[in-house]
């Protein structure tokens, strides 16, 4: 296609792939390679070698002998290797096999009678446009029909079965015995086929004559495809492709000399086969049943197919994904004082990442300031593009900033440092959902880590045990606006994944909220001031809840200061369980949350009110009803005061927190003995064959299941003994009850017992012959011999118990490793299938061709992001609203 | 690129196709499957209805999801390739939902 202007857009109508013909290969070839060595002893490239100058100019200043250009202009030119004997291209092996089977071994006609063949071809032509899938089926049928013929309908020759051994060997089953068809035989047969017959076999004879699939001449790509690199030592290292090609030339020349010197036929055959293997490996070095080409008998060479395949290959590594500029990566650390929309950027990074600033009359003074600061002082500039001369000035080398600032003109572009208020994209891998990349507002800070607000940890799934994150700078106004309007953190408080808030409190925020709002917490004026000032609160205080002896406020009063004035909310707190259970406002345990017209009247705030990934909580309601800005305000104010409360009070754990009285320990010991006795009896019953089996299970399985069940119960009971003997206001218990961290299981394991350790859901059985460890007798089925741990973390474990605990723990690690790789692959395939689908304006889901995938998005046309945990409307909420409460 | 020719239903040389291909032995299909609770209601649209549906969705017939002529329900209700089928099925999100499919001869 000829275009006047290189930048003029044009449309590709279609792309057709075919097989390169020997004629075409020769036409584009500028040099025939006949020598396997690359350099002469004096270091000049060998003429007729793989670095022949006719492959194109590569050295600076060199003129190409073919096109006369220097290396900047010369596109590189192909060469060729004339193969002494033809060779089969392994990837066409299957196609060749089908053709051999379907055509006559003598005359080359398709093995279908003339009349029928004509009819089928006509049918195929008409079918092809309207029903391509059907046309394909027709071809499959034709192949089946033709390959089952035993006699040629044209010349009457008898046909024999062909056997194909991947990737390039064919045998013909003649009556006198099986004989191998060498590539010359194959090529001759393919040459005899007729164009119309080939079309019936689904081959376009104009673009892809089948004999071209057996190559007689091999194209050699130009040096730009296989550049050599000069090592620091001065040695030249050639590309893998060059090495592979050199091996082809070597084998080809060897075959040639055998042929010209009339060597015995077996030797020629042998060299020919070697050539076939080497050419195959040049195309794909990972084919089964070939000799792999290697680099000095070690590393396999990366040949053509290896360049394209896989994650790092051309397609996935260079076309679907690319390296980018204007990005940064470093370790993340928390900063509870910055806003959820913000990100702390190290000064060092801010001085490297830049934003182009087009100079206008309104910002020219600002731009001058950046230039005067230069590239090393923040906020400065790194480059200036002069609009008039089109020159790019690098401020690292042009140090007369004063002159540059003075000569600054409207229309110039200043590459200025990243400054506070810029918007950037922030990302943490694995980027599994859209919240993995969000827009943040820059805050330039000292030190070397990215800082982020703890409330945005859940969407990124980030923690600070060494996690790193990426940052990208949008550099056009369109991109910046798009980032602000669509990607900003506050636009992602609600997630489309399950219709609830994904941003919200975790850990300290939850225990802090609890400690602020719990009934027993009262705050003096001084404390109130400290709490509210962290939230940036400006305004008056309500009447104190207590006046004498001192004026004191409840935490609920303080929370109410931040809630929307007409907010109504009802719901159970997380602590609403066990003895603190109640189902409505009639709650004496402060475990039922009531917010009435913006007044937090009762119920503590914990995970169920302010937690992340908890649908239908207080935060969710505010985000849905009042919008993301109101929710953001709450997260940037009230939530900060939760942390302040925690700082003032302190939250930690001591060994004494998991101490339980001796009486409780005795109780647990007794309980354990009881259970062990029961299990012993079961084992005895089992040995005597008296055990009642569970339907559908063997006797052994039934015993195991029953034992596991019993031990499960034991641990639960031991756990509740421990919990009941604990101070409900000790710090770890607060954490567990409010959902901040840990649960009953963790407390049980610390204070009471670890319980049964399992591998694949069963008691631990493997290890030594008929026993788990040498500490036990063979065939011992008792709990402690099969992974039951009665010790706890507080008192310590016995050696065998440590071993069992480690065995159970290992399984968890293996599981996570396996699960992540499997779900990663599934994710990839799903995304590949779904990435181009769009919900169009008529509500249908379509692909890029306009094909309909779904007639209404989700069948109900509802955006899950704005649902109440998947339900489009929450009737109870509406009823409450209508009734005015 | 979507071909923007005039709206037309697919017509095909089906008789010839069937003649050209070796016919598969057609198994007798039990009519009771139509009454099974997991088999949604299928209905062949009339030409007018089909034209209305295609016009409303602004699609060519082949841009609808396909259903094979070999589908047991399709063979039972006697639909031909090119026919447009209306399927009413239960939906966990919408209660009941209507979808359309074009019958294809493969
Ligand atoms: Mg981590
Ligand atoms: Zn455009
Ligand atoms: Zn050139
Ligand atoms: Zn013949």
């Amino acid at each position: 296609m000829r275009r006047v202007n290189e930048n003029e857009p044009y449309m590709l109508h279609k792309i057709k792939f075919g097989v390169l013909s020997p004629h075409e290969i020769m036409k584009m070839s500028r040099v025939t390679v006949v020598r396997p060595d690359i350099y002469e002893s004096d270091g000049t490239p060998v003429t007729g070698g793989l670095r022949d100058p006719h492959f194109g100019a590569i050295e600076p200043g060199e003129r190409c002998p073919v096109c006369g250009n220097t290396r900047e202009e010369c596109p590189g030119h192909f060469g060729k290797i004339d193969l002494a004997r033809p060779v089969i291209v392994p990837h066409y092996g299957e196609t060749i096999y089908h053709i051999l089977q379907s055509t006559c071994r003598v005359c080359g006609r398709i093995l279908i009678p003339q009349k029928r063949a004509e009819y089928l071809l006509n049918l195929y032509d008409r079918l092809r446009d309207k029903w391509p899938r059907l046309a394909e089926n027709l071809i499959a049928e034709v192949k089946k029909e033709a390959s089952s013929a035993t006699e040629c309908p044209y010349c009457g020759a008898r046909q024999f079965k062909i056997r194909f051994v991947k990737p390039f060997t064919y045998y013909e089953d003649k009556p006198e015995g099986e004989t191998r068809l060498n590539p010359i035989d194959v090529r001759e047969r393919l040459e005899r086929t007729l164009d119309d017959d080939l079309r019936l076999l689904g081959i376009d004879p104009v673009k892809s004559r089948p004999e071209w699939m057996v190559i007689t001449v091999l194209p050699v790509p130009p040096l730009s495809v296989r550049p050599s690199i000069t090592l620091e030592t001065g040695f030249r290292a050639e590309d893998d492709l060059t090495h592979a090609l050199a091996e082809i030339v070597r084998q080809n020349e060897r075959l040639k000399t055998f042929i010209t010197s009339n060597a015995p036929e077996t030797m020629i055959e042998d060299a020919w086969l070697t050539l076939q293997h080497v050419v195959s490996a040049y195309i794909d070095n990972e084919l089964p049943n070939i000799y792999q080409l290697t680099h000095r008998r070690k590393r396999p060479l990366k040949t053509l197919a290896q360049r394209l395949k896989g994650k790092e290959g051309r397609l996935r590594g260079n076309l679907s994904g690319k390296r980018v500029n204007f990005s940064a990566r470093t370790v993340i650390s928390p900063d509870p004082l910055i806003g959820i929309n913000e990100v702390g950027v190290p000064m060092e990074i801010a001085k490297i990442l830049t934003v182009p600033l087009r100079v206008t009359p309104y910002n020219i003074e600002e731009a001058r300031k950046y230039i005067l600061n230069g590239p090393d002082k923040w906020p400065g500039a790194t480059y200036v593009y002069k609009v008039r001369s089109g020159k790019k000035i690098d401020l690292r080398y042009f140090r007369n900033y004063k002159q540059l600032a003075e000569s600054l003109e409207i229309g110039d572009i200043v590459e200025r440092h990243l400054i506070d208020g810029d918007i950037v994209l922030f990302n943490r891998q694995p980027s599994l959902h859209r919240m993995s990349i969000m827009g943040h507002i820059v805050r330039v800070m000292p030190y070397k880590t990215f800082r982020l607000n703890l409330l945005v940890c859940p969407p990124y799934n980030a923690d600070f045990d060494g996690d790193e994150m990426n940052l990208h700078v949008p550099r056009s106004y369109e991109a910046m606006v798009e980032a602000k309007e669509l990607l900003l953190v506050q636009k992602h408080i609600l997630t489309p994944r399950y219709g609830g808030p994904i941003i919200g409190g975790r850990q300290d925020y939850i225990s802090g909220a609890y400690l602020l709002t719990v009934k027993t917490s009262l705050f003096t004026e001084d404390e109130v001031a400290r709490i509210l000032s962290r939230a940036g609160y400006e305004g008056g205080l309500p009447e104190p809840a207590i006046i004498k002896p001192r004026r004191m406020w409840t935490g609920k009063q303080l929370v109410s200061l931040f809630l929307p004035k007409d907010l109504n909310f009802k719901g159970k707190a997380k602590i609403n369980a066990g003895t603190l259970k109640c189902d409505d406002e009639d709650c004496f345990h402060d475990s039922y949350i009531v917010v009435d017209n913006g007044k937090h009247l009762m119920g503590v705030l914990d995970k169920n009110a302010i937690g992340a990934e908890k649908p239908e909580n207080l935060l969710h309601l505010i985000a849905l009803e009042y919008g993301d800005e109101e929710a953001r305000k709450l997260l940037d104010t009230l939530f900060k005061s939760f942390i302040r409360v925690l700082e003032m009070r302190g939250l930690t754990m001591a060994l004494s927190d998991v101490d339980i009285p001796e009486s409780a320990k005795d109780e647990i010991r007794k309980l354990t003995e009881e259970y062990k006795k029961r299990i012993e009896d079961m084992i005895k019953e089992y040995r005597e064959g008296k055990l009642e089996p569970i339907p559908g299970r063997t006797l052994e399985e039934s015993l195991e299941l029953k034992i596991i069940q019993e031990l499960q119960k034991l641990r639960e009971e031991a756990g509740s003994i421990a919990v009941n003997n604990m101070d409900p206001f000790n710090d770890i218990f607060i954490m567990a009850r409010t959902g901040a961290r840990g649960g009953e299981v963790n407390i049980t394991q610390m204070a009471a017992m670890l319980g049964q350790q399992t591998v694949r859901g069963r008691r631990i059985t493997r290890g030594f012959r008929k026993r788990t460890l040498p500490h036990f007798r063979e065939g011992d089925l008792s709990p402690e011999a099969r992974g039951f741990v009665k010790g706890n973390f507080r008192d310590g474990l016995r050696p065998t118990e440590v071993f069992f605990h480690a065995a159970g723990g290992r399984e968890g690690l293996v599981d996570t490793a396996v699960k992540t790789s499997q779900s990663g692959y599934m994710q990839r395939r799903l995304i590949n299938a779904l990435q181009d689908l769009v919900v169009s304006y008529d509500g249908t889901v379509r692909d890029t061709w306009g094909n309909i995938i779904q007639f209404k998005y989700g069948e109900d046309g509802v955006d899950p992001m704005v649902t109440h945990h998947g339900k489009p409307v929450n009737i109870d909420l509406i009823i409450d609203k209508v009734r005015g409460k | 690129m979507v071909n923007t020719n005039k709206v037309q239903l697919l017509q095909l040389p089906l008789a010839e196709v069937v003649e050209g291909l070796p016919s598969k032995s057609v198994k007798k299909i039990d009519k009771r499957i139509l009454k099974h609770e997991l088999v949604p209601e299928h209905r062949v649209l009339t030409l007018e209805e089909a034209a209305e549906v295609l016009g409303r969705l602004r699609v060519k017939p082949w841009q609808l999801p396909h259903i094979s002529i070999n589908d047991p329900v399709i063979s039972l209700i006697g639909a031909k390739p090119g026919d447009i089928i209306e399927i009413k099925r239960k939906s966990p999100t919408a209660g009941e939902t209507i979808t359309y499919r074009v019958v294809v001869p493969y």
Side-chain angles (χ1 to χ4, degrees):
Chain A
M1 186 173 297
R2 186 183 297 144
R3 278 167 300 142
V4 185
N5 176 357
E6 210 171 88
N7 298 317
E8 195 180 307
Y10 60 97
M11 176 103 71
L12 282 182
H13 178 56
K14 61 179 173 188
I15 298 176
K16 184 148 189 168
F17 290 97
V19 181
L20 214 49
S21 74
H23 179 70
E24 248 172 304
I25 295 171
M26 292 202 282
K27 224 167 59 181
M28 68 186 188
S29 162
R30 292 300 127 107
V31 54
T32 304
V33 184
V34 288
R35 289 182 57 189
D37 34 353
I38 296 164
Y39 298 104
E40 303 284 5
S41 48
D42 62 357
T44 56
V46 172
T47 317
L50 287 165
R51 288 214 47 184
D52 190 290
H54 290 83
F55 279 113
I58 27 155
E59 303 294 346
E62 184 189 353
R63 285 239 166 241
C64 173
V66 177
C67 63
N69 287 309
T70 54
R71 70 171 192 166
E72 281 76 28
E73 297 294 319
C74 170
H77 311 279
F78 271 85
K80 68 177 184 351
I81 298 171
D82 290 314
L83 299 176
R85 291 268 170 102
V87 153
I88 287 165
V89 177
H91 296 82
Y92 294 126
E94 202 84 25
T95 318
I96 294 172
Y97 176 51
H98 287 307
I99 300 172
L100 290 180
Q101 275 184 318
S102 313
T103 55
C104 173
R105 57 188 300 271
V106 178
C107 70
R109 289 301 306 267
I110 192 162
L111 295 170
I112 289 175
Q114 177 102 34
K115 268 267 169 59
R116 174 132 176 93
E118 275 168 16
Y119 166 75
L120 286 172
L121 188 60
N122 180 285
L123 183 58
Y124 170 70
D125 281 341
R126 286 189 297 143
L127 227 45
R128 207 176 39 184
D129 297 326
K130 229 157 209 173
W131 297 105
R133 284 273 301 275
L134 212 52
E136 265 170 49
N137 288 0
L138 184 72
I139 286 169
E141 290 299 332
V142 168
K143 280 182 189 164
K144 221 191 273 171
E145 209 174 300
S147 52
S148 60
T150 53
E151 198 173 89
C152 174
Y154 299 90
C155 69
R158 230 181 117 192
Q159 306 297 319
F160 305 115
K161 272 252 157 333
I162 308 261
R163 191 162 68 89
F164 172 47
V165 180
K166 277 179 188 171
F168 44 65
T169 324
Y170 302 91
Y171 297 96
E172 193 168 39
D173 192 18
K174 289 192 197 156
E176 65 263 30
E178 206 177 54
T179 48
R180 179 171 169 244
L181 294 174
N182 66 38
I184 292 182
D185 305 330
V186 173
R187 196 167 203 275
E188 273 169 4
R189 288 197 188 185
L190 297 175
E191 276 167 3
R192 284 197 289 266
T193 55
L194 295 189
D195 282 3
D196 275 351
D197 291 352
L198 288 171
R199 296 210 301 127
L200 254 186
L201 295 171
I203 287 166
D204 177 355
V206 182
K207 292 285 168 205
S208 320
R209 277 294 311 179
E211 64 265 26
W212 302 340
M213 298 174 187
V214 184
I215 50 171
T216 51
V217 49
L218 181 78
V220 179
L223 284 162
S224 42
V225 176
R226 41 184 185 92
S228 66
I229 41 166
T230 319
L231 303 169
E232 308 92 77
T233 48
F235 283 105
R236 277 197 171 273
E238 295 299 324
D239 190 271
D240 276 8
L241 275 191
T242 308
H243 285 300
L245 285 164
E247 192 56 30
I248 293 176
V249 177
R250 205 167 292 129
Q251 296 305 332
N252 192 42
E253 293 306 311
R254 195 167 83 103
L255 180 57
K256 256 191 222 165
T257 46
F258 283 170
I259 295 168
T260 49
S261 64
N262 278 320
E265 196 54 35
T266 50
M267 276 177 74
I268 293 179
E269 287 284 332
D270 216 50
W272 188 5
L273 191 62
T274 313
L275 183 66
Q276 170 74 67
H277 273 98
V278 175
V279 171
S280 305
Y282 164 69
I283 295 166
D284 183 352
N285 207 7
E286 280 163 14
L287 280 173
N289 305 323
I290 62 154
Y291 304 130
Q292 243 187 6
L293 286 173
T294 55
H295 197 265
R296 297 216 189 95
R297 297 239 184 124
K298 268 169 61 210
R299 178 179 64 85
L301 293 182
K302 285 209 181 352
T303 56
L304 290 175
Q306 278 65 51
R307 283 195 175 189
L308 310 178
K309 270 183 190 164
K311 185 132 144 226
E312 314 261 271
R314 208 80 333 141
L315 303 199
R316 273 176 78 186
N318 302 107
L319 291 162
S320 303
K322 294 198 183 79
R323 291 172 174 273
V324 293
N325 288 323
F326 306 103
S327 61
R329 179 184 174 94
T330 185
V331 177
I332 52 167
S333 42
D335 189 339
L337 300 181
I338 65 174
I340 59 162
N341 280 333
E342 293 184 303
V343 59
V345 178
M347 174 77 69
E348 225 175 309
I349 287 176
K351 286 197 282 195
I352 296 170
L353 299 177
T354 58
V355 176
L357 180 75
R358 171 144 253 148
V359 178
T360 64
Y362 315 104
N363 65 15
I364 190 161
E365 283 313 315
E366 182 193 349
R368 286 199 170 113
K369 260 182 229 151
Y370 296 137
I371 294 175
L372 287 173
N373 275 338
D376 304 317
K377 187 175 163 210
W378 185 84
T382 57
Y383 292 93
V384 177
Y385 298 90
K386 300 298 289 178
V387 67
R388 215 182 298 216
S389 60
K391 267 194 192 137
K392 176 175 165 185
I393 298 164
D394 188 337
L395 298 200
R396 278 174 307 178
Y397 306 115
F398 186 90
R399 307 224 66 137
N400 192 347
Y401 305 143
K402 223 174 192 163
Q403 186 218 313
L404 200 60
E406 271 159 24
S407 66
L408 197 64
E409 287 173 294
I410 308 299
D412 288 351
I413 295 171
V414 177
E415 282 288 346
R416 53 143 250 251
H417 288 157
L418 209 58
I419 55 172
D420 289 3
D422 282 334
I423 184 141
V424 292
L425 308 189
F426 203 38
N427 158 246
R428 180 180 177 276
Q429 283 111 347
S431 312
L432 294 177
H433 56 193
R434 67 185 206 193
M435 288 76 77
S436 291
I437 303 179
M438 292 192 286
H440 287 249
I441 305 291
V442 168
R443 264 202 37 201
V444 179
M445 293 180 164
Y447 310 119
K448 302 204 170 187
T449 57
F450 286 136
R451 251 58 59 81
L452 55 106
N453 188 296
L454 291 127
L455 293 167
V456 292
C457 288
Y460 290 120
N461 193 19
D463 50 36
F464 305 102
D465 59 3
D467 291 25
E468 293 182 47
M469 286 180 69
N470 315 309
L471 182 140
H472 300 267
V473 185
R475 286 168 48 83
S476 69
Y477 288 113
E478 289 96 322
M480 290 180 204
V481 168
E482 198 168 89
K484 265 197 187 122
E485 295 301 319
L486 300 174
L487 300 180
L488 198 66
V489 173
Q490 74 180 71
K491 312 265 176 193
H492 295 269
I493 294 171
L494 299 180
T495 165
R497 245 175 48 198
Y498 49 80
I502 192 168
I503 291 177
R506 266 185 179 177
Q507 310 207 29
D508 281 3
Y509 286 95
I510 291 166
S511 15
Y514 172 80
L515 292 170
L516 175 66
T517 53
V518 75
K519 266 182 186 169
T520 50
S521 292
L522 289 168
F523 301 96
T524 63
E525 191 160 7
D526 181 55
E527 286 168 329
V528 167
R530 279 197 268 165
I531 293 168
L532 293 182
S533 71
R534 169 62 64 82
Y537 177 74
E538 291 171 355
L541 289 182
E543 279 302 306
I546 289 173
I547 297 179
K548 289 274 175 183
R550 265 189 303 171
R551 303 195 331 140
M552 286 185 120
W553 285 263
T554 66
K556 295 190 179 87
Q557 284 184 292
L558 303 186
V559 169
S560 304
L561 294 175
F562 297 93
L563 298 177
K565 292 299 156 249
D566 54 350
L567 176 74
N568 291 294
F569 177 80
K570 268 181 226 160
K572 288 181 188 171
K574 171 90 198 219
I575 60 163
N576 191 335
T579 50
L580 301 181
K581 201 166 171 67
C582 29
D583 291 322
D584 50 27
E585 292 105 288
D586 264 339
C587 182
F588 292 99
H589 313 298
D590 211 21
S591 63
Y592 194 87
I593 307 162
V594 176
V595 176
D596 182 64
N597 275 317
K599 292 266 172 291
H600 182 198
L601 296 181
M602 57 185 284
V604 294
L605 296 186
D606 58 18
K607 193 174 183 186
N608 281 10
I610 60 143
E613 300 174 83
K614 267 275 164 203
E616 314 208 284
N617 66 16
L618 190 67
L619 194 62
H620 188 190
L621 184 72
I622 289 171
L624 269 182
E625 300 275 315
Y626 299 87
D628 54 63
E629 180 59 23
E630 192 65 33
R632 194 225 92 223
K633 270 191 209 153
L634 200 72
L635 292 166
D636 276 344
T637 55
L638 179 61
F639 279 60
K640 282 183 180 160
S641 66
F642 296 154
I643 300 295
R644 188 74 190 99
V645 172
L646 216 54
E647 286 169 10
M648 284 157 53
R649 181 192 180 274
L651 188 83
T652 181
M653 83 171 267
L655 209 49
S656 60
D657 285 346
V658 287
D659 270 340
I660 51 173
E662 202 53 43
S663 61
K665 281 187 185 171
D666 271 340
E667 211 179 319
I668 291 172
R669 268 196 286 270
K670 256 199 343 243
L671 197 70
T672 313
E673 284 312 312
E674 257 168 55
Y675 271 92
K676 266 172 69 176
K677 193 60 163 284
R678 225 177 300 166
I679 288 166
E680 238 167 68
D681 292 345
M682 280 190 323
I683 294 173
K684 210 150 104 206
E685 272 180 54
Y686 162 74
R687 294 243 153 91
E688 292 162 358
K690 282 192 222 149
L691 189 80
E692 188 71 35
I694 298 169
R697 301 277 181 167
T698 65
L699 218 52
E700 286 89 349
E701 284 171 342
S702 309
L703 177 72
E704 282 298 312
L705 272 169
K706 282 180 180 172
I707 293 177
I708 287 184
Q709 259 171 27
E710 288 296 307
L711 293 174
Q712 181 84 29
K713 259 193 284 173
L714 168 59
R715 198 183 67 181
E716 275 162 25
E717 281 171 38
S720 48
I721 292 174
V723 166
N724 290 334
N725 281 287
M726 239 179 230
D727 171 12
F729 290 97
N730 87 40
D731 287 357
I732 51 161
F733 205 41
I734 287 179
M735 290 188 241
R737 279 163 49 225
T738 57
R741 194 77 220 237
E744 199 156 306
V745 179
N746 302 90
I747 292 180
T748 307
Q749 291 199 335
M750 285 188 280
M753 64 169 59
L754 248 55
Q756 178 67 46
Q757 301 298 306
T758 57
V759 170
R760 295 195 191 165
R762 297 172 176 227
R763 298 203 297 162
I764 292 165
T765 50
R766 295 172 19 132
F768 296 85
R769 180 157 55 96
K770 292 185 183 170
R771 52 181 167 171
T772 51
L773 283 173
H775 306 64
F776 307 106
R777 291 180 185 286
E778 284 184 8
D780 188 350
L781 293 180
S782 68
E784 50 274 17
R786 288 297 167 93
F788 178 73
V789 180
K790 68 176 175 191
N792 59 53
F793 290 136
R794 162 74 240 271
D795 298 327
L797 308 182
R798 293 191 295 182
T800 54
E801 293 181 332
V802 170
F803 178 82
F804 291 132
H805 183 228
R810 161 71 78 94
E811 192 192 20
L813 294 182
V814 171
D815 272 9
T816 32
V818 170
K819 256 186 225 138
T820 43
S821 71
Q822 280 180 352
S823 59
Y825 185 45
M826 191 184 82
Q827 165 95 359
R828 217 186 109 69
R829 290 164 45 148
L830 273 175
I831 300 258
N832 268 334
L834 301 176
Q835 59 184 354
D836 298 322
L837 304 187
V838 291
V839 181
S840 23
Y841 285 109
D842 64 354
T844 57
V845 181
R846 299 183 185 224
D847 65 16
T848 27
W849 295 277
N851 298 323
I852 293 187
I853 307 299
Q854 204 171 33
F855 287 87
K856 202 167 190 190
Y857 173 69
E859 291 179 347
D860 58 359
V862 170
D863 175 1
M865 184 166 135
V866 288
T867 57
H868 300 257
H869 202 187
K871 297 189 299 285
V873 281
N874 186 339
I875 298 287
D876 298 335
L877 222 67
I878 292 174
I879 291 174
D880 280 353
K881 218 189 218 170
V882 170
R883 283 168 43 195
K885 199 144 281 183
Chain B
M1 274 293 96
V2 177
N3 189 346
T4 47
N5 288 334
K6 57 189 185 297
V7 177
Q8 49 151 28
L9 295 179
L10 290 172
Q11 280 143 19
L12 20 111
L14 183 74
E16 292 175 68
V17 175
V18 175
E19 206 182 307
L21 296 175
S23 60
K24 284 173 197 139
S25 58
V26 182
K27 245 193 261 163
K28 195 101 167 77
I29 299 162
D30 194 327
K31 275 210 170 99
R32 290 176 303 176
I33 65 164
L34 292 179
K35 296 214 175 77
H36 195 281
E37 80 155 353
L38 292 178
V39 176
E41 185 191 325
H42 292 59
R43 185 171 72 86
V44 181
L45 294 187
T46 64
L47 213 60
E48 292 74 41
E49 286 173 317
E52 188 273 323
V53 167
L54 295 179
R56 174 155 50 86
L57 296 166
R58 301 185 187 213
V59 289
K60 304 288 169 211
W62 62 85
Q63 292 180 301
L64 294 173
H66 296 183
I67 188 166
S68 169
I69 186 76
N70 299 317
D71 182 280
V73 176
I74 293 303
S75 18
L76 276 182
I77 63 174
K80 309 176 303 300
D83 280 348
I84 289 172
I85 308 294
E86 179 196 81
I87 304 170
K88 273 193 198 143
R89 62 161 77 96
K90 286 183 218 151
S91 157
T93 52
E96 187 181 75
T97 177
I98 296 176
T99 65
Y100 302 96
R101 283 168 182 268
V102 62
V103 182
V104 292
Y106 39 79

